[in-house]
Amino acid sequence: MQYGFFDDDAKEYVITRPDTPYPWINYLGCEEFFSLFSNTSGGYCFCRDARMLRLTRYRYNNVPADSGGRYFYLRDNNDVWTPSWMPMKSKLDRYECRHGMGYSKISSCRNGLAFKQVSFVPLGDNCEIHKVTLTNESGSEKNIDMFSFIEFCLWNANDDMTNFQRNFSIGEVEIEGSRIYHKTEYRERRNHYAVWSVNAPAAGFDTDRQTFLGLYNGFDSPQTPFSGKANNSVASGWAPIGSHHIKVKLAPNESKTFVFTLGFCENPQDQKWEKPGIINKTPANKLLEKYNTAEAADKALAELNAYWKNLLGKFTVDASSLSRPDDIKMARMAGVWNQYQCMVTFNMSRSASYFESGIGRGMGFRDSNQDLLGFVHLVPERARSRILDIAATQFPDGSAYHQYQPLTKRGNNEIGSGFNDDPLWLICGVAAYIKETGDYSILDEKVPFDNDEKLADTLFIHLKRSFDFTVTHKGPHGLPLIGRADWNDCLNLNCFSATPGESFQTTANFESGVAESVLIAAIFAFVGPDYAEICRRTNRADEAVYAEKEIKTMTDAINLHGWDGDWFVRAYDAYGKKIGGKECDDGKIFIESNGFAVMAGIGVDDGRAVKALDSVKEHLDSKYGIVLLQPAYKNYHLELGEVSSYPPGYKENAGIFCHNNPWVTIAETMLGRGKRAFETYAKICPAYREDDSDLRRLEPYVYAQMVAGKDAPRFGEAKNSWLTGTAAWTFVSISQYILGVRPVFDGLLIDPCIPSDMKGFTVTRHFRGSDYHITADNSAGAEKGIKSITVDGKAHQGNVLPVFNDGKIHKITVIMGAH
Ligand code: BGC
Ligand code: NOJ
């Protein structure tokens, strides 16, 4: 069943009933201030860092799901209801939620009172805006009491959830007219406060949660809206909230609009106070004056719309150019939602979602480099500085902190390091950046090692250390040592953890000097040639020769010890035993090494690549995507770690771990198998499962990290939407390898690999200062191969389009078929 539909013209997903199978959310904010916003107005917001600067409280894993948000209680002639459905689960005569690019709109109606909420984070300011309009659709006058409600978080979200002996005594607020200030800890070491305001006179307010709700009441039965009158409570300790009471008189057909603003304000240390104990409100005044009218809010929303229109204009797919009806799903994902999700991963990394608490994980070294592949074409300058931030957390020996904190940009000691794939992803990210922009100057930037300026060296040297780290850390088969784990965080071959509850990610890890990863070897063989190429192009010919020799050595090792007869081996454990080989009882075959080895071109010439991908299809494929391994581990294995800790079919233990499905997609295009490539793409693409939402449960407009695999009782159910490397890799697979528009060092390579019954397509691609309007004609029914290309009407040799950098639109016509 469907719970909504795509409005492609508006770039919105329209949710038509509030009781979605899971909260379906959107992200507001694209600079410093971010909000999670569900289809029932649930969620929370923060400035810069989801853990340290949280404005509103959110309880995870809550009952009922998704309670807590920005709520409006309406009292209409003794009938109290919540127009966003939650938290009262009010019966609504009408309901719709539109999630758009950086904004969401909820509209509903009950007993002739219509409600509309438009929520967004404006560009340039640190605040959430909620423009609320009430309309009287009934025939008689209405006298409405509206109560706003938010619950403040005491800033440090981790402390807020745990340190009650302190927290219950520190909450402080200030109230001035319709402005409610949350100033907990401002008296001491904080220079910032929050303000929750409305651009209309308030009849009253509440700032103490217990007074507003009643101690034993939930958000669904707050006593104040039922009583019809605010208490003017001033929080002192306990749980500060912000609630306005607004009286609204509406004649029939009359509408009134209110602009609610939740802002984050900072003062310089020496200007904190207006007078003793009274905060300096200058920044709040400035902010609130700016958004004081509905027109001002509309203008800010229009600016935000223009920002997204421009951004998503960098790569578009023309749906009308597609011959097969279902391909519209690909068009809306590749052209809009997939890229939108990539921007969200740029902003959030893995910190704040409805599956990530925002207090646990920082920015991953590996994750951030891969995320870059999905947004470098959208925000190349920001990708550049992201690369420099990431590289600064690398150690002098080339290894890296596994994570860093966005606020401090420093490596995270609690998580440590030792994931031996990490260094190589830096090469992958930098190569993608250079191919996109042609900007080699980034290589000369001086970047600290271990965040220590004294250890700074050029970014090029960082790449060399990355490359050399793999070269110098090999095991008995000449394959890279795995360390704590590789891309698969759960393949913990050196941990031997027997203590319940111990984190596999941080527990003691000894270096056996034996456990090796075929995946790291394949990643090396895939990114190594880009490193060599970068060396050549920057007059480092000797280094290029050295790199090519090492790539050859690594490829030989894969050929010798990484091939199992019908597929690629996955790893060797600390005893030197195969993982992902026929002799294994469980875990005979894994997806990762097969996808990546073929991506690296291994076995393409001698038939092994075909065999490997056929084996993947035979053993790992399912209706909903390719599972990570088979057979699933039935028991916990000390020598394997977390991968064997999950029940069969979930997560890394044979779940459909969507992140690496596109590796197989890309690999299939390298073999020219367009039909199969597209099939692997579509299976995990959420838009293709829109009418299967009761099973899939998560948003049909974003990828999830995992879909339960065929061994799981809930086969087909998705978990962990939004913050996943799946976003970047699927975008790479569809845009660069299936539609085949791929930045390379010298220009834009055109190399589509599509199903033969796809008659062609049109995409536009912004690239190094020009727009390429590319129309591919596949009336020949090919899967791969180009017969001819014309550029602006003239025949073009080869399939790399030149760099024009002239701010113009260039018309490219591609005829597929045998050359
Ligand atoms: C998950 C992995 C994740 C890791 C991060 C594990 O429990 O299964 O997917 O990468 O935690 O800490
Ligand atoms: C999620 C992590 O964020 C990512 O770094 C890792 O590669 C995958 N899980 C697989 O374990």
Side-chain angles (χ1 to χ4, degrees):
M1 177 174 136
Q2 289 192 200
Y3 288 77
F5 59 91
F6 287 89
D7 179 341
D8 293 316
D9 291 338
K11 297 191 173 56
E12 291 173 340
Y13 192 82
V14 188
I15 301 166
T16 47
R17 46 185 289 178
D19 55 340
T20 45
Y22 205 73
W24 286 1
I25 72 164
N26 192 12
Y27 284 83
L28 317 179
C30 29
E31 293 164 335
E32 294 198 330
F33 192 98
F34 300 101
S35 307
L36 285 75
F37 190 95
S38 75
N39 59 310
T40 57
S41 204
Y44 60 95
C45 60
F46 59 91
C47 189
R48 286 182 221 123
D49 187 305
R51 172 169 172 171
M52 304 307 288
L53 295 178
R54 182 90 61 111
L55 274 81
T56 51
R57 181 171 290 150
Y58 191 77
R59 292 169 188 79
Y60 285 87
N61 196 0
N62 45 19
V63 178
D66 197 27
S67 25
R70 327 75 186 142
Y71 293 141
F72 298 94
Y73 295 92
L74 300 176
R75 184 170 189 271
D76 176 10
N77 196 16
N78 289 327
D79 175 35
V80 177
W81 59 287
T82 40
S84 56
W85 189 62
M86 282 293 275
M88 293 181 68
K89 291 202 274 183
S90 306
K91 190 184 161 302
L92 303 172
D93 301 333
R94 226 170 46 220
Y95 161 90
E96 180 184 272
C97 169
R98 291 180 169 258
H99 285 318
M101 304 288 108
Y103 67 87
S104 291
K105 299 178 177 176
I106 294 178
S107 33
S108 61
C109 185
R110 168 154 152 152
N111 292 336
L113 177 60
F115 168 92
K116 182 160 189 186
Q117 171 184 354
V118 181
S119 301
F120 63 99
V121 173
L123 294 168
D125 281 309
N126 290 330
C127 65
E128 240 179 37
I129 291 180
H130 307 279
K131 192 183 102 174
V132 168
T133 304
L134 300 179
T135 304
N136 184 356
E137 294 183 355
S138 79
S140 46
E141 181 180 284
K142 280 184 183 282
N143 285 289
I144 310 296
D145 293 290
M146 171 160 69
F147 297 84
S148 75
F149 178 85
I150 58 159
E151 184 179 14
F152 292 110
C153 176
L154 306 181
W155 304 115
N156 178 338
N158 194 41
D159 205 62
D160 180 71
M161 282 293 165
T162 47
N163 195 4
F164 304 110
Q165 59 79 25
R166 171 180 159 84
N167 294 346
F168 285 166
S169 292
I170 62 173
E172 289 190 295
V173 295
E174 243 175 80
I175 302 106
E176 203 185 72
S178 301
R179 298 176 180 185
I180 295 168
Y181 295 91
H182 176 229
K183 60 172 187 176
T184 301
E185 289 191 340
Y186 189 80
R187 62 168 55 247
E188 32 130 348
R189 291 156 296 173
R190 291 189 184 274
N191 290 4
H192 57 86
Y193 55 81
V195 59
W196 174 231
S197 159
V198 59
N199 67 339
F205 62 85
D206 273 294
T207 63
D208 179 61
R209 189 182 72 207
Q210 185 178 325
T211 309
F212 181 81
L213 294 177
L215 181 59
Y216 293 102
N217 293 1
F219 298 138
D220 60 340
S221 55
Q223 66 193 16
T224 302
F226 281 94
S227 79
K229 194 170 176 341
N231 315 285
N232 296 347
S233 59
V234 179
S236 173
W238 297 106
I241 60 151
S243 173
H244 305 97
H245 175 194
I246 300 170
K247 288 186 164 298
V248 193
K249 186 196 273 294
L250 291 173
N253 294 321
E254 192 187 5
S255 286
K256 280 194 179 140
T257 296
F258 303 88
V259 182
F260 289 86
T261 307
L262 174 59
F264 175 89
C265 303
E266 271 168 308
N267 275 322
Q269 177 65 27
D270 57 350
Q271 292 165 35
K272 279 176 68 169
W273 305 101
E274 193 173 294
K275 44 185 179 237
I278 304 295
I279 56 178
N280 174 359
K281 310 200 174 56
T282 313
N285 292 337
K286 196 169 156 235
L287 177 78
L288 298 174
E289 269 152 36
K290 188 163 169 191
Y291 301 108
N292 204 25
T293 61
E295 293 70 33
D298 290 343
K299 181 167 166 276
L301 182 60
E303 280 163 19
L304 185 69
N305 292 157
Y307 167 88
W308 277 106
K309 187 162 186 242
N310 172 51
L311 215 53
L312 295 175
K314 309 264 182 222
F315 179 83
T316 62
V317 182
D318 178 357
S320 69
S321 69
L322 300 164
S323 56
R324 309 182 307 172
D326 251 15
D327 286 348
I328 178 104
K329 298 175 184 170
M330 176 274 282
R332 57 174 64 122
M333 287 305 298
V336 180
W337 290 95
N338 195 171
Q339 296 181 74
Y340 182 61
Q341 187 178 358
C342 287
M343 280 308 291
V344 173
T345 65
F346 165 71
N347 290 321
M348 297 292 124
S349 189
R350 303 295 171 269
S351 76
S353 74
Y354 269 28
F355 295 86
E356 301 274 12
S357 66
I359 52 187
R361 302 218 271 160
M363 315 276 295
F365 192 95
R366 167 204 297 143
D367 293 335
S368 300
N369 276 303
Q370 288 172 83
D371 290 348
L372 206 121
L373 307 176
F375 62 73
V376 63
H377 68 297
L378 298 173
V379 286
E381 308 75 26
R382 296 174 85 184
R384 190 182 205 271
S385 49
R386 174 63 57 82
I387 286 173
L388 302 177
D389 287 348
I390 302 171
T393 65
Q394 190 176 28
F395 292 112
D397 73 350
S399 64
Y401 278 109
H402 196 46
Q403 285 177 20
Y404 70 99
Q405 288 311 124
L407 207 54
T408 61
K409 299 186 175 170
R410 300 188 82 81
N412 193 343
N413 267 320
E414 287 159 37
I415 309 287
S417 62
F419 296 81
N420 283 355
D421 62 317
D422 273 335
L424 294 175
W425 296 114
L426 182 66
I427 301 180
C428 183
V430 173
Y433 171 78
I434 295 178
K435 289 177 190 173
E436 180 67 40
T437 60
D439 170 22
Y440 290 87
S441 77
I442 193 173
L443 297 170
D444 304 324
E445 291 285 349
K446 280 263 199 292
V447 186
F449 280 101
D450 196 2
N451 300 107
D452 184 348
E453 286 292 345
K454 291 193 295 295
L455 302 176
D457 212 324
T458 61
L459 183 66
F460 177 79
I461 293 299
H462 281 261
L463 298 191
K464 172 153 178 59
R465 303 267 172 90
S466 286
F467 188 87
D468 287 349
F469 182 86
T470 310
V471 173
T472 54
H473 290 76
K474 290 186 187 168
H477 301 95
L479 295 164
L481 292 170
I482 196 166
R484 179 178 289 284
D486 59 22
W487 171 89
N488 187 334
D489 273 330
C490 300
L491 211 50
N492 314 117
L493 306 185
N494 295 314
C495 285
F496 289 82
S497 174
T499 309
E502 191 169 69
S503 161
F504 292 95
Q505 308 297 314
T506 54
T507 183
N509 175 58
F510 75 100
E511 187 43 85
S512 59
V514 176
E516 298 169 299
S517 163
V518 178
L519 175 63
I520 300 182
I523 299 174
F524 184 84
F526 179 77
V527 305
D530 280 342
Y531 175 68
E533 191 63 31
I534 287 171
C535 293
R536 274 241 150 69
R537 287 164 182 266
T538 54
N539 299 319
R540 294 172 170 106
D542 292 352
E543 181 68 12
V545 171
Y546 151 78
E548 276 152 4
K549 191 182 113 265
E550 292 300 339
I551 297 162
K552 164 92 179 40
T553 307
M554 189 69 85
T555 309
D556 290 347
I558 297 176
N559 287 333
L560 210 56
H561 303 293
W563 180 250
D564 196 55
D566 285 306
W567 56 77
F568 290 95
V569 179
R570 177 61 178 84
Y572 286 90
D573 70 15
Y575 303 109
K577 276 176 49 191
K578 256 187 210 173
I579 297 173
K582 284 188 192 127
E583 70 225 50
C584 306
D585 293 331
D586 289 328
K588 288 179 195 291
I589 171 169
F590 282 64
I591 186 174
E592 307 103 297
S593 48
N594 286 292
F596 237 99
V598 179
M599 277 166 70
I602 299 171
V604 172
D605 292 341
D606 58 21
R608 283 178 305 149
V610 169
K611 236 184 197 176
L613 296 188
D614 286 348
S615 298
V616 164
K617 183 167 183 194
E618 182 185 339
H619 300 287
L620 301 179
D621 206 11
S622 80
K623 189 174 170 198
Y624 303 115
I626 304 165
V627 302
L628 194 142
L629 60 87
Q630 280 292 292
Y633 291 108
K634 293 172 201 72
N635 308 307
Y636 177 61
H637 292 252
L638 209 54
E639 77 288 5
L640 299 178
E642 188 169 359
V643 67
S644 60
S645 75
Y646 286 112
Y650 292 114
K651 294 282 286 184
E652 282 86 342
N653 188 17
I656 299 158
F657 213 93
C658 299
H659 185 138
N660 43 37
N661 276 237
W663 297 348
V664 172
T665 307
I666 296 170
E668 288 288 356
T669 66
M670 303 199 47
L671 304 183
R673 304 201 288 193
K675 178 161 183 268
R676 173 66 183 154
F678 201 91
E679 183 180 293
T680 61
Y681 167 78
K683 277 187 182 180
I684 63 157
C685 185
Y688 285 80
R689 289 195 59 198
E690 193 184 10
D691 57 8
D692 185 23
S693 287
D694 287 315
L695 175 56
R696 187 176 184 274
R697 296 188 67 197
L698 300 189
E699 299 94 333
Y701 43 90
V702 282
Y703 286 90
Q705 181 202 59
M706 189 220 37
V707 174
K710 50 192 177 184
D711 302 287
R714 308 186 72 139
F715 178 39
E717 181 187 67
K719 290 200 185 96
N720 206 355
S721 50
W722 288 97
L723 306 184
T724 161
T726 313
W729 278 108
T730 47
F731 183 67
V732 169
S733 74
I734 185 71
S735 65
Q736 299 190 17
Y737 289 88
I738 292 181
L739 301 177
V741 179
R742 181 152 80 245
V744 292
F745 290 107
D746 286 325
L748 201 54
L749 176 80
I750 305 295
D751 189 19
C753 182
I754 57 178
S756 55
D757 59 347
M758 194 192 253
K759 293 284 163 247
F761 58 86
T762 298
V763 300
T764 54
R765 176 64 156 86
H766 183 82
F767 180 68
R768 299 195 206 172
S770 306
D771 286 309
Y772 296 70
H773 186 267
I774 304 162
T775 298
D777 174 340
N778 188 32
S779 32
E783 285 195 282
K784 196 170 170 137
I786 290 174
K787 200 166 168 196
S788 69
I789 295 186
T790 58
V791 175
D792 295 323
K794 292 193 204 78
H796 179 79
Q797 288 307 305
N799 61 348
V800 177
L801 305 177
V803 177
F804 296 106
N805 195 13
D806 57 3
K808 295 197 180 130
I809 302 174
H810 296 276
K811 280 208 166 313
I812 319 293
T813 310
V814 179
I815 311 287
M816 292 183 67
H819 189 62

